[in-house]
Amino acid sequence: MSSKCPVSYPFPWAPAPDVPADWRSMREGPLLDITLPSGDPAVLVTRYKDVRRLYADERLSRNWARHPVSRISASNDLFADPEIDNDPPRYLVERGIVMRAFSHRRLEALRPVVRQITGDLLDAMEAEGGNEAELMEAFAFPLPILVICHMLGVPPQDRGKFRTLIDGYLSVSKLSDEEVERCRVQYWDYLSELIATKRADPGDDLISDLIKVNAEDPDKLTDHQLQHWVKTLLIAGYVTTASQIGTGMAVLLHRPAVAAELKADLSLVPSAVEELLRYQIMGTSLGSLRYALEDITLQDGTVVPRGSTVLLSVESNMDEEVFTDPTTLDIRREDNHHLTFGAGIHFCAGAALARMELQEATAGLLRRFPGLSLAVPGEHLVRPVGGFLAGYAEIPVKW
């Protein structure tokens, strides 16, 4: 392990939608000693090849509540749940159930819905904003909320409520301890009521499908596990995608020449989306937190000590040994095997859905508003404070 003093993590963000300076030098060693927002220590695995391999290493446990793991936040347990086993083999059983819900058939059936929602939101932006809008509230937040609520069967009138509760649930330092706990309890209670309603009156939605699995074999998916997965899917399907839509567009529009290249050839949207995911500067590695069950030797002989709290670096997407000129946004980049969605058995279950939404959102925005640009300099965009993700609080755009 490095002998240097721990550095505060997450790293300070660059003023503009650029790669933070710390990302450029962090791979001088395979491990970086860091201090989490809670003040607790951890080690950050910095190099792509090590990170990719460790995603599949069962000596790193994701059972935060079952080990003396360092806390992300001093006032919020976030995803720690002693009743949920996030390690194999139990995790693989539950993941397999959820992955079936994200089948190619279901997602292709959902694509027209995503396209329709995108079009409706763009219509509203055009009608209400004249030639300008605040992108996060007008488009980036509502699109994934409407999609994931449609997919899971959340009633339309509840969408505002669940967004408020999730935002509070994900507070790292933004809200008081009391407010965080209130949101956590109310969110869990809301899900209990929603699942009970679906049991009584099932529909053609993902929650109803999971309830059916639970009813047929409670040992395969218990009541608590059912509610946990609904909670997780709603959070992941809303927050991360919304932040990536907004931040990705800010990164793109901050580079007018690159944006013009994409506007001129929308067939590049899929590769541009992957590059924006690789380049993503709206998140951190906090969600990859793990606990080392034993000593783990990395490729160069460096040892991750038993008992360490370990973060697998999303910043490794900037590893120059894997990506040519990694700090340059290249929307034509090929073989873009970024780790934004994780890897192996911990590859994001909703990755295909997120990709589809990002592609539809990007193409829809640029097709409808070919003159789209930032309404303020990129350096003036404001990031939210104290949340789990660090996209942008507001992104004013014009066309």
Side-chain angles (χ1 to χ4, degrees):
M1 192 182 305
S2 167
S3 59
K4 296 180 181 179
C5 293
V7 298
S8 295
Y9 187 86
F11 302 126
W13 293 105
D18 291 314
V19 175
D22 297 275
W23 288 23
R24 301 171 188 267
S25 60
M26 60 178 286
R27 279 171 299 283
E28 293 174 357
L31 295 180
L32 182 67
D33 292 324
I34 60 175
T35 301
L36 299 174
S38 63
D40 294 346
V43 292
L44 183 70
V45 183
T46 66
R47 295 174 180 171
Y48 180 98
K49 292 179 180 178
D50 290 328
V51 170
R52 191 173 189 90
R53 184 171 65 86
L54 289 176
Y55 265 113
D57 197 317
E58 294 185 13
R59 293 173 294 179
L60 285 181
S61 173
R62 292 179 67 235
N63 285 328
W64 298 5
R66 302 184 182 191
H67 301 294
V69 67
S70 293
R71 304 160 301 162
I72 291 176
S73 166
S75 61
N76 190 346
D77 290 335
L78 289 167
F79 306 110
D81 186 336
E83 295 188 50
I84 297 298
D85 188 347
N86 284 314
D87 292 338
R90 177 67 217 181
Y91 166 76
L92 296 179
V93 174
E94 295 174 34
R95 174 183 167 82
I97 294 169
V98 173
M99 285 299 294
R100 289 199 297 272
F102 288 92
S103 66
H104 178 75
R105 177 191 62 81
R106 183 187 286 270
L107 290 180
E108 282 308 304
L110 189 62
R111 185 179 288 273
V113 176
V114 175
R115 190 164 293 167
Q116 180 65 51
I117 293 172
T118 298
D120 291 345
L121 291 171
L122 294 175
D123 288 345
M125 279 179 61
E126 192 167 23
E128 297 172 10
N131 67 339
E132 60 183 32
E134 197 287 287
L135 190 65
M136 295 306 298
E137 286 298 326
F139 187 74
F141 281 132
L143 174 59
I145 288 174
L146 291 167
V147 171
I148 198 64
C149 286
H150 173 89
M151 191 174 184
L152 271 76
V154 174
Q157 64 271 20
D158 290 354
R159 290 166 184 163
K161 176 181 180 179
F162 106 78
R163 176 183 169 184
T164 299
L165 295 177
I166 288 176
D167 288 348
Y169 181 95
L170 292 177
S171 168
V172 173
S173 58
K174 178 181 178 181
L175 301 177
S176 67
D177 295 1
E178 294 75 19
E179 187 67 10
V180 169
E181 184 61 20
R182 182 189 68 80
C183 288
R184 288 169 62 84
V185 170
Q186 289 188 8
Y187 184 39
W188 189 258
D189 290 346
Y190 167 75
L191 294 178
S192 296
E193 295 171 4
L194 178 61
I195 290 170
T197 300
K198 293 288 182 184
R199 285 190 195 278
D201 185 18
D204 183 20
D205 56 70
L206 180 49
I207 294 178
S208 297
D209 288 354
L210 294 176
I211 289 171
K212 183 177 179 181
V213 173
N214 165 256
E216 292 173 349
D217 188 352
D219 291 332
K220 183 178 288 187
L221 193 68
T222 68
D223 290 350
H224 189 88
Q225 289 159 352
L226 164 64
Q227 190 158 330
H228 165 82
W229 276 103
V230 172
K231 175 192 77 174
T232 301
L233 290 170
L234 276 169
I235 291 173
Y238 149 48
V239 180
T240 54
T241 305
S243 295
Q244 182 61 25
I245 289 171
T247 306
M249 195 56 58
V251 168
L252 180 66
L253 297 178
H254 183 62
R255 296 158 175 80
V258 181
E261 182 182 4
L262 183 56
K263 292 172 184 177
D265 185 2
L266 292 181
S267 71
L268 293 173
V269 164
S271 64
V273 163
E274 292 307 310
E275 179 68 345
L276 289 166
L277 282 164
R278 182 192 71 84
Y279 205 87
Q280 64 99 10
I281 54 172
M282 61 88 182
T284 67
S285 305
L286 293 175
S288 70
L289 186 145
R290 283 149 166 77
Y291 179 82
L293 298 172
E294 55 186 89
D295 287 353
I296 302 173
T297 303
L298 302 181
Q299 287 185 328
D300 73 340
T302 301
V303 174
V304 179
R306 178 179 180 270
S308 298
T309 294
V310 180
L311 271 62
L312 302 180
S313 161
V314 72
E315 296 89 349
S316 63
N317 283 334
M318 296 293 162
D319 193 331
E320 55 281 343
E321 291 189 6
V322 179
F323 302 99
T324 302
D325 196 9
T327 58
T328 295
L329 185 74
D330 180 3
I331 61 173
R332 297 176 183 269
R333 190 181 296 274
E334 298 179 352
D335 300 321
N336 194 345
H337 303 295
H338 60 77
L339 296 176
T340 300
F341 289 124
I345 63 171
H346 295 296
F347 186 76
C348 174
L353 174 63
R355 281 190 167 110
M356 180 176 67
E357 290 184 61
L358 291 166
Q359 290 170 8
E360 293 293 333
T362 303
L365 277 165
L366 298 182
R367 184 178 292 115
R368 178 68 66 90
F369 306 120
L372 190 69
S373 63
L374 292 176
V376 298
E379 294 82 359
H380 294 175
L381 295 176
V382 178
R383 291 184 181 273
V385 177
F388 188 73
L389 295 176
Y392 287 105
E394 295 182 350
I395 303 177
V397 295
K398 60 184 180 180
W399 55 88

